[in-house]
Amino acid sequence: MTPRRWARGATVGALLALLAPATRAQEAPWLAGEPDPLRGPTLPFTAVEAEPVRAGAWRVVFTTSMWNHWKHSNEILAVHRSAWPERLPLTAADLAATEERFPGRDLYWIDLEGSRTELVTTRGLPGGLSVSLRIPWLDHGAPASDGVVERYHRITGLGRQARDLFPRGESHVYVSGRRGRIAALSGLSGSGLGDISVAVAAPLGAWLGGEQRGLLAVEAPTGAAGTLFGSGGWDLGARAFSIWTWRRAELRLGAGYTRPSLSGTLLGVRRGELWHAALGIEAALGARTRAALTATYQRSPFAAIAGGDVGHPALLLRYGLTHTTRRGLSFGLELGQDLRYGGVGVAPDTTLQLVLQTFPR
């Protein structure tokens, strides 16, 4: 999605929300959107569908998630640097030479930037039930953020991380393990519809002083099969969330399981079962403004084909601010950063997420 298209979409979403009067003030959603392009083709782990909506009422959530993803094996970097010590793209010859020089190693190269814009509408039903529809639109290759991230790393002293040896704006996913291989060095950029999902949520009770809700979701193969837009298969997922509320703070816990269908793939290779966990803390900064800190820990989408770092679970830290107007409109801004230590797997280096929520009559 070009900056102009992104701005147009965000403007349309904001106008729709402003034209729909809110029934009452509500908090901004927790765990909205999916800021990871590698987990996007499979049913994403989100909590927005589980949050309660009054019977007969509607909730509309508009989310735009942007990411910059840069991860690589040092073996590939060493081979490429020795042959092309300038800004030249990664090639199939680089990969073949690395596999020959380091046989049996788990190798990977991930270079992605893009955005995911999605609309989630929820209808409240009697008995605390609700049903949600999620429609995602993905744009791989834009917005162009490689140059911004390079400058940020240079200013903060994080180092170039070999970004200066490769062209900006590339879209690559390469994973080679003992149980499978992905080598997508072209054809990943572009925009299109993702996999649409439907979820049904229900209350699970009130234990240990908290409130629990769960949901069951199914994702349909509406995106292009075997790409970063879709899997080509039907996915099923179950999630449970708990919230403890105090006067000015909240503690949230979440867990989930996703069963991808055997007919679907991730860039042409089989997918394994996924599990997810989340911990969040929210604190009030004022009457209508809140700060949030969320950590998600999820099984790698490549665990079925490779080990090593690329096959290990990933930890992503997300922190942001939300503000709710007197009309009940919620605006949120969230930043994300992966945490890599002790073999923790791959997640985007940097994420940015914008959230708009309203309750139309």
Side-chain angles (χ1 to χ4, degrees):
M1 182 182 291
T2 65
R4 180 178 297 178
R5 289 181 180 177
W6 180 88
R8 186 185 306 156
T11 302
V12 171
L15 289 176
L16 289 175
L18 292 172
L19 291 174
T23 57
R24 59 189 178 96
Q26 295 282 347
E27 294 179 2
W30 183 60
L31 272 184
E34 174 50 74
D36 190 336
L38 301 175
R39 290 170 173 82
T42 304
L43 181 67
F45 177 57
T46 58
V48 62
E49 303 96 329
E51 296 180 3
V53 178
R54 179 174 54 83
W58 288 93
R59 179 182 64 213
V60 177
V61 179
F62 181 83
T63 306
T64 294
S65 306
M66 291 163 279
W67 57 76
N68 190 281
H69 211 316
W70 175 262
K71 296 289 187 302
H72 58 265
S73 297
N74 290 330
E75 294 91 341
I76 303 176
L77 177 59
V79 170
H80 180 87
R81 179 185 279 130
S82 64
W84 313 103
E86 299 178 6
R87 279 192 181 270
L88 293 178
L90 186 71
T91 67
D94 291 331
L95 303 182
T98 306
E99 292 174 5
E100 181 179 358
R101 183 175 172 182
F102 302 96
R105 298 278 185 93
D106 292 300
L107 305 170
Y108 60 96
W109 191 279
I110 300 170
D111 182 5
L112 296 170
E113 54 186 338
S115 65
R116 176 187 176 106
T117 300
E118 61 184 29
L119 182 68
V120 179
T121 60
T122 304
R123 175 71 170 180
L125 304 175
L129 298 173
S130 63
V131 60
S132 300
L133 173 68
R134 176 195 302 272
I135 304 176
W137 181 267
L138 295 99
D139 199 322
H140 293 287
S145 57
D146 281 344
V148 175
V149 175
E150 275 191 52
R151 287 191 291 272
Y152 170 75
H153 280 213
R154 185 170 61 251
I155 294 172
T156 58
L158 295 176
R160 297 180 181 273
Q161 299 182 356
R163 287 176 176 268
D164 56 320
L165 297 180
F166 297 87
R168 296 170 179 170
E170 297 287 297
S171 295
H172 296 156
V173 176
Y174 165 73
V175 178
S176 180
R178 297 181 180 179
R179 300 179 297 275
R181 185 178 187 269
I182 297 173
L185 301 185
S186 62
L188 296 181
S189 297
S191 59
L193 180 68
D195 286 346
I196 295 175
S197 62
V198 176
V200 177
L204 298 180
W207 307 333
L208 302 176
E211 178 184 355
Q212 289 76 37
R213 288 183 63 84
L215 70 87
L216 296 175
V218 58
E219 187 174 74
T222 53
T227 70
L228 291 177
F229 297 98
S231 66
W234 293 81
D235 298 341
L236 301 175
R239 285 90 169 91
F241 302 96
S242 184
I243 177 174
W244 288 267
T245 303
W246 295 276
R247 182 178 178 182
R248 298 184 61 83
E250 292 181 350
L251 174 65
R252 297 172 180 260
L253 295 177
Y257 169 79
T258 299
R259 173 71 177 181
S261 65
L262 296 178
S263 60
T265 67
L266 174 59
L267 295 174
V269 303
R270 67 185 181 90
R271 303 172 298 165
E273 300 175 344
L274 299 178
W275 52 259
H276 326 265
L279 169 65
I281 301 174
E282 293 190 7
L285 300 181
R288 297 181 178 274
T289 304
R290 302 179 68 86
L293 176 65
T294 302
T296 59
Y297 190 60
Q298 303 187 65
R299 188 172 189 247
S300 171
F302 302 116
I305 65 172
D309 287 350
V310 73
H312 289 166
L315 181 62
L316 182 69
L317 191 65
R318 301 163 64 171
Y319 46 97
L321 295 172
T322 61
H323 179 75
T324 303
T325 70
R326 294 184 181 277
R327 290 172 55 85
L329 296 174
S330 294
F331 301 87
L333 174 64
E334 180 184 87
L335 300 176
Q337 179 71 47
D338 71 321
L339 300 179
R340 290 175 59 81
Y341 62 91
V344 173
V346 295
D349 295 64
T350 306
T351 68
L352 173 64
Q353 185 167 276
L354 307 176
V355 182
L356 172 65
Q357 174 182 261
T358 186
F359 288 77
R361 296 186 186 277

